[in-house]
Amino acid sequence: MSKLSEAQLLDKLPAAKGWQRHGDMLIRTWQFPSFRRAIEFVNQIAGMMEKIDHYPDLVVSFRTVRVEMSTHDVGGLTECDFALIDQINAIHSDR
């Protein structure tokens, strides 16, 4: 797995709706009506992460969940990050 070039990133960014670029990372934050719902969301995306063996950083603060997407091994964004973003956005497009 290799880090995407700047040109590749610029090509892929429009498909990452709701995600904000911060250097070599994409970040998205969700607000939930309860702590329980926030944890259900974390558990749901954790299953996706396990399935593809890719683990972005997750930050939980009461009813807020932030996903910090990056591939630690290469120090930036890869195809795997965008694949996971697509999966998360597909099931949580309403948020």
Side-chain angles (χ1 to χ4, degrees), residues 15-17 19 28 30 41 44-54 56 67 69 79-94:
K17 295 190 186 316
W19 295 78
R28 185 163 179 190
W30 288 267
F41 171 74
Q44 188 173 20
I45 63 173
M48 295 175 188
M49 293 161 56
E50 285 286 330
K51 202 176 262 189
I52 64 170
D53 194 30
H54 187 62
V67 179
M69 192 71 68
E79 292 286 348
C80 198
D81 293 301
F82 282 92
L84 187 54
I85 283 170
D86 287 345
Q87 289 180 33
I88 294 170
N89 280 354
I91 63 165
H92 296 289
S93 60
D94 61 323

Side-chain angles (χ1 to χ4, degrees), residues 63-87:
R63 297 179 305 149
T64 303
V65 176
R66 185 174 72 233
V67 179
E68 299 175 350
M69 192 71 68
S70 185
T71 300
H72 303 290
D73 294 354
V74 300
L77 293 158
T78 65
E79 292 286 348
C80 198
D81 293 301
F82 282 92
L84 187 54
I85 283 170
D86 287 345
Q87 289 180 33

Side-chain angles (χ1 to χ4, degrees), residues 15 19 34 61 75 83 95:
W19 295 78
S34 66
S61 178
R95 299 212 182 287

